[in-house]
Amino acid sequence: MIATLTDFGVTGPYTGQMHAAILQHSEQSRVVDLISDLPRFTPELSAYLIPRLTDPFPVATVFVCVVDPGVGGSRQPLMVEADGKWYVGPDNGLLALVVRRASQCRICSITWRPKVLSNSFHGRDLFAPVAAKIAADESVQGNSLTNTQIMGCGLADDLSKIIYIDGFGNLITGMRAAAVDETSVIVLKNQRINAGLIFSECPPGESFWYANSMGLIEIAVNRGSARDHFDARLGDPIKIIEDL
Amino acid sequence: MIATLTDFGVTGPYTGQMHAAILQHSEQSRVVDLISDLPRFTPELSAYLIPRLTDPFPVATVFVCVVDPGVGGSRQPLMVEADGKWYVGPDNGLLALVVRRASQCRICSITWRPKVLSNSFHGRDLFAPVAAKIAADESVQGNSLTNTQIMGCGLADDLSKIIYIDGFGNLITGMRAAAVDETSVIVLKNQRINAGLIFSECPPGESFWYANSMGLIEIAVNRGSARDHFDARLGDPIKIIEDL
Amino acid sequence: MIATLTDFGVTGPYTGQMHAAILQHSEQSRVVDLISDLPRFTPELSAYLIPRLTDPFPVATVFVCVVDPGVGGSRQPLMVEADGKWYVGPDNGLLALVVRRASQCRICSITWRPKVLSNSFHGRDLFAPVAAKIAADESVQGNSLTNTQIMGCGLADDLSKIIYIDGFGNLITGMRAAAVDETSVIVLKNQRINAGLIFSECPPGESFWYANSMGLIEIAVNRGSARDHFDARLGDPIKIIEDL
């Protein structure tokens, strides 16, 4: 299976073009468009989302990850094998946490180039065909890199910021829930938020935090929008207060 | 074929995650993402849309229907076989009209549970794998229910309200067109609307009602938005006046 | 492979219904939803985008193209074979540039009709099944037409207007880049725009034009929205000034 994770947005032809580029290489591929609204221009936020999104997928899945503001410039294209799954994308920090959290990891800068390579859309021209090649067990030319040679290798283990806001207005943070005590209080914009377990058990309109379905700490409002409730934005910091 | 019908919205990873959960179970499945913007928090509106959306599909199609504000609480998961098609979703009224309109119908509450079940995303964790199992002719554990044991069993045959507003601003009602005379006048917000047959035959900017491609009464404005024209919202009531 | 190009928007069931109509005819079809936000009600703008979007696809691909404000009226449905690729859609100018630019081209008005044909959704009822038939090498009844018998046969080779605005706010014009000198200046709303080659080499917030990944002239702002920067709209004219 090949899955696409991009910041292309839901409109426009870009996801479809990438999808088609994969099918052109091997028409029997299964392609899932996993997410197309990763935060733009900020690969360091998506870096914390990608490992959680890809975690439930089976070994041998290939993920094409494209948040690529430096496209056409000097940034390298990467392919990463992490615990049996493959990741293809730009070397701009986007794959840094995938690498960090893998037990076993091989990293290559991709030296293969397609016959035609645009300056603005390596997702279609380079990353998609490389993903299709990997999925078809074909070799792809590259140069080995160590973990410390990629961008973002110094990023922290977790990020106490809002890294994604979903269509319901839920605020997803870069903090793994397993590391946080359930009695903790989260502070966002000077407001204290208590833990809740289940949406339907919180009074409508009231905010709570919980371990979301990706295992990240998420701030939500039952039948409402936490984004509107807190006037929150991507990158807003949170604080975690252990309840003593 | 498996089709998804949800209120997840077009952004975010949720539709893709459900899609992937199906492919993980049986990689040869055909999955169509039929609709991802069913009205939120109001399964009783979607209840009238779902039978019309699924009607043209062939026997043996499996529909995963997720509008699930009660996720993680006490509501039961359902599977329904209605005239040879399968429906999987929460017991909150969402499938009530599917059951009502079927000639032959079997209903079960699903007792099978996955190894890992989140509190907030049964679409991915429970409904998608159950749909994949049904599509693969595997048995799924459940308890039989009668028609009167499910939520929404008392809902009316048709609903004289706006149940969906599409991206063109067309207002779809819960009234089946076959039951309404073509000379009838529809009243929305104190404005009388006459029947029209064909978009291009109505003057641009003028409103009309017609039997839409799903067989429901729809209020439209040629080359314009009926939503804006009437300042209409989901749930707004309509009145049908038989022209004597 | 079958690809869909429509103005249905990203919400609603319409793309999914068309997708399903194709799979119902031949469940092994590969369907890519290439673009669902072609400009509405203006097939003459999409006419310049479609050949560039479909150019990279392999021979034998079938494109279902639906921008169809005249649906249900007297406009004919068309099928076009252009240099080995197939196009299905309404005869309203939408396919005019595909025909114009083909080396070899056969055009037919489609006379086949499905058993049930709605007045408002020929994409699902007629164009999708015809595309599935063509992809499955089945014959489709039709009447041959010459190039000059279709709508839009008099359209210019290029269109010096904004024909599409993508989700990043980039302004795509109907001018093929190959025909324009790289030292040219483009004027939009009385503002002069110079050529740039690569997004990341332009200062953030500054506008430039470049040959986009479809080979069309596009006006962009690095890490910003050219639409907002110029307050631009679909159909806005541009001027090209050769730098002497």
Side-chain angles (χ1 to χ4, degrees):
Chain A
M1 195 186 327
I2 297 174
T4 69
L5 301 91
T6 77
D7 69 347
F8 298 164
V10 296
T11 60
Y14 308 121
T15 297
Q17 288 175 309
M18 217 163 74
H19 203 121
I22 293 167
L23 290 186
Q24 269 175 257
H25 189 273
S26 38
E27 200 170 358
Q28 293 315 307
S29 297
R30 296 289 153 168
V31 186
V32 173
D33 295 320
L34 183 52
I35 186 165
S36 62
D37 66 325
L38 288 172
R40 285 186 176 160
F41 311 129
T42 50
E44 68 277 13
L45 296 184
S46 296
Y48 290 89
L49 196 60
I50 290 175
R52 307 311 302 183
L53 280 172
T54 61
D55 186 59
F57 281 75
V59 161
T61 305
V62 184
F63 302 98
V64 196
C65 305
V66 188
V67 176
D68 197 11
V71 62
S74 61
R75 69 101 191 87
Q76 290 298 305
L78 289 184
M79 53 185 172
V80 172
E81 185 187 359
D83 296 331
K85 302 175 194 177
W86 286 88
Y87 297 78
V88 181
D91 181 20
N92 60 10
L94 192 63
L95 301 179
L97 272 293
V98 164
V99 167
R100 167 80 58 86
R101 293 190 184 148
S103 306
Q104 290 208 310
C105 192
R106 286 193 308 143
I107 312 172
C108 281
S109 71
I110 300 165
T111 55
W112 174 85
R113 290 294 179 274
K115 276 175 204 152
V116 179
L117 179 65
S118 67
N119 276 325
S120 56
F121 196 4
H122 289 194
R124 179 194 65 182
D125 300 339
L126 195 151
F127 297 125
V130 165
K133 283 169 180 285
I134 292 173
D137 267 329
E138 299 170 24
S139 68
V140 178
Q141 268 187 309
N143 292 326
S144 283
L145 298 175
T146 64
N147 291 16
T148 57
Q149 286 179 302
I150 66 164
M151 297 293 290
C153 60
L155 287 175
D157 270 337
D158 290 274
L159 187 65
S160 53
K161 289 183 177 175
I162 295 170
I163 62 167
Y164 182 76
I165 303 178
D166 76 11
F168 294 86
N170 298 319
L171 309 172
I172 299 179
T173 75
M175 300 295 303
R176 286 169 295 176
V180 176
D181 197 275
E182 277 178 25
T183 59
S184 299
V185 170
I186 292 194
V187 180
L188 171 65
K189 298 186 120 184
N190 291 320
Q191 294 178 63
R192 294 168 64 92
I193 305 161
N194 291 309
L197 263 182
I198 294 170
F199 268 79
S200 53
E201 289 182 358
C202 288
E206 203 161 285
S207 65
F208 62 103
W209 74 261
Y210 77 119
N212 76 5
S213 62
M214 293 181 257
L216 290 171
I217 287 186
E218 179 172 313
I219 298 165
V221 166
N222 188 25
R223 302 197 178 213
S225 162
R227 180 192 47 223
D228 297 348
H229 187 272
F230 292 99
D231 191 23
R233 285 162 194 246
L234 283 173
D236 280 351
I238 60 162
K239 230 185 344 207
I240 297 175
I241 301 175
E242 302 283 337
D243 197 27
L244 301 176
Chain B
M1 195 187 328
I2 297 173
T4 68
L5 301 91
T6 77
D7 69 347
F8 299 163
V10 296
T11 59
Y14 308 121
T15 297
Q17 288 175 310
M18 217 163 74
H19 202 121
I22 293 167
L23 290 187
Q24 269 175 257
H25 189 273
S26 38
E27 200 170 359
Q28 292 315 307
S29 298
R30 297 288 153 168
V31 187
V32 173
D33 295 320
L34 183 52
I35 186 165
S36 62
D37 66 325
L38 288 172
R40 284 185 177 161
F41 312 129
T42 50
E44 67 277 13
L45 296 183
S46 296
Y48 290 89
L49 196 60
I50 290 175
R52 307 311 302 183
L53 280 172
T54 60
D55 185 60
F57 281 75
V59 161
T61 305
V62 184
F63 301 98
V64 196
C65 305
V66 189
V67 176
D68 197 11
V71 62
S74 61
R75 69 100 190 88
Q76 290 298 305
L78 288 184
M79 54 185 172
V80 172
E81 184 187 0
D83 296 332
K85 303 175 194 177
W86 286 88
Y87 298 78
V88 181
D91 180 20
N92 59 10
L94 192 63
L95 301 179
L97 271 294
V98 164
V99 167
R100 168 80 58 86
R101 293 191 183 146
S103 306
Q104 290 207 310
C105 192
R106 287 193 307 142
I107 312 172
C108 282
S109 71
I110 300 165
T111 54
W112 175 84
R113 290 294 179 274
K115 276 175 203 153
V116 179
L117 180 65
S118 68
N119 275 326
S120 56
F121 196 3
H122 289 194
R124 178 193 66 182
D125 299 339
L126 195 151
F127 297 126
V130 165
K133 283 169 180 286
I134 292 172
D137 268 329
E138 299 170 23
S139 68
V140 178
Q141 268 186 308
N143 291 326
S144 283
L145 298 175
T146 65
N147 291 17
T148 56
Q149 286 179 302
I150 66 165
M151 297 292 290
C153 60
L155 287 175
D157 270 337
D158 290 274
L159 186 65
S160 53
K161 289 183 177 174
I162 296 170
I163 62 167
Y164 182 76
I165 303 177
D166 76 11
F168 294 86
N170 298 320
L171 309 172
I172 299 179
T173 75
M175 300 295 302
R176 284 169 296 175
V180 176
D181 197 275
E182 277 178 26
T183 59
S184 299
V185 170
I186 292 195
V187 180
L188 170 66
K189 297 186 121 183
N190 291 319
Q191 295 178 62
R192 294 169 63 92
I193 306 162
N194 291 308
L197 263 182
I198 294 170
F199 268 80
S200 53
E201 288 182 358
C202 287
E206 203 160 286
S207 65
F208 62 102
W209 74 262
Y210 77 119
N212 76 5
S213 62
M214 293 181 258
L216 290 171
I217 287 186
E218 179 172 314
I219 298 165
V221 166
N222 188 24
R223 301 197 180 214
S225 162
R227 180 192 47 223
D228 296 349
H229 187 272
F230 292 100
D231 191 22
R233 284 161 195 246
L234 283 174
D236 280 351
I238 60 163
K239 231 187 340 210
I240 297 175
I241 300 175
E242 302 282 337
D243 197 27
L244 302 176
Chain C
M1 195 187 326
I2 297 174
T4 68
L5 301 91
T6 77
D7 69 347
F8 299 163
V10 296
T11 59
Y14 308 121
T15 297
Q17 287 175 311
M18 217 163 74
H19 202 121
I22 293 167
L23 290 186
Q24 269 175 257
H25 189 273
S26 38
E27 200 170 358
Q28 293 315 307
S29 297
R30 296 289 154 167
V31 186
V32 173
D33 295 320
L34 183 52
I35 186 165
S36 62
D37 66 325
L38 288 171
R40 284 186 176 161
F41 312 129
T42 50
E44 67 278 13
L45 296 184
S46 296
Y48 290 89
L49 196 60
I50 290 175
R52 306 312 302 182
L53 279 172
T54 61
D55 185 60
F57 281 75
V59 161
T61 305
V62 184
F63 302 98
V64 195
C65 305
V66 189
V67 176
D68 197 12
V71 63
S74 61
R75 69 101 190 88
Q76 290 298 305
L78 289 184
M79 54 185 172
V80 173
E81 184 187 0
D83 297 331
K85 303 175 194 176
W86 286 88
Y87 298 78
V88 181
D91 181 20
N92 60 10
L94 192 63
L95 301 179
L97 272 293
V98 165
V99 167
R100 168 80 59 86
R101 293 190 184 147
S103 307
Q104 290 208 311
C105 192
R106 286 193 307 142
I107 312 173
C108 282
S109 71
I110 301 165
T111 54
W112 175 85
R113 290 294 179 275
K115 276 174 204 154
V116 179
L117 180 65
S118 67
N119 276 325
S120 56
F121 196 3
H122 289 195
R124 178 194 65 183
D125 299 339
L126 196 151
F127 297 125
V130 166
K133 283 170 180 285
I134 293 172
D137 268 329
E138 299 171 23
S139 68
V140 178
Q141 268 187 309
N143 292 326
S144 283
L145 298 175
T146 65
N147 291 17
T148 57
Q149 286 179 302
I150 65 165
M151 297 293 290
C153 60
L155 287 176
D157 270 337
D158 290 274
L159 186 65
S160 53
K161 289 183 177 175
I162 295 170
I163 61 167
Y164 182 75
I165 303 177
D166 76 11
F168 294 86
N170 298 320
L171 309 172
I172 299 179
T173 75
M175 300 295 302
R176 285 169 296 175
V180 176
D181 197 275
E182 278 178 26
T183 59
S184 299
V185 169
I186 292 193
V187 181
L188 170 65
K189 297 186 122 183
N190 291 319
Q191 294 177 63
R192 295 168 63 91
I193 305 161
N194 292 308
L197 263 182
I198 294 170
F199 269 79
S200 53
E201 289 182 358
C202 288
E206 203 161 285
S207 65
F208 62 102
W209 74 261
Y210 78 118
N212 76 5
S213 62
M214 293 180 257
L216 290 171
I217 287 185
E218 179 172 314
I219 299 165
V221 166
N222 188 25
R223 301 197 179 214
S225 161
R227 181 192 47 223
D228 296 348
H229 188 271
F230 292 99
D231 191 22
R233 284 161 195 246
L234 283 174
D236 280 351
I238 60 163
K239 231 188 337 211
I240 297 175
I241 300 175
E242 301 283 337
D243 197 27
L244 301 176

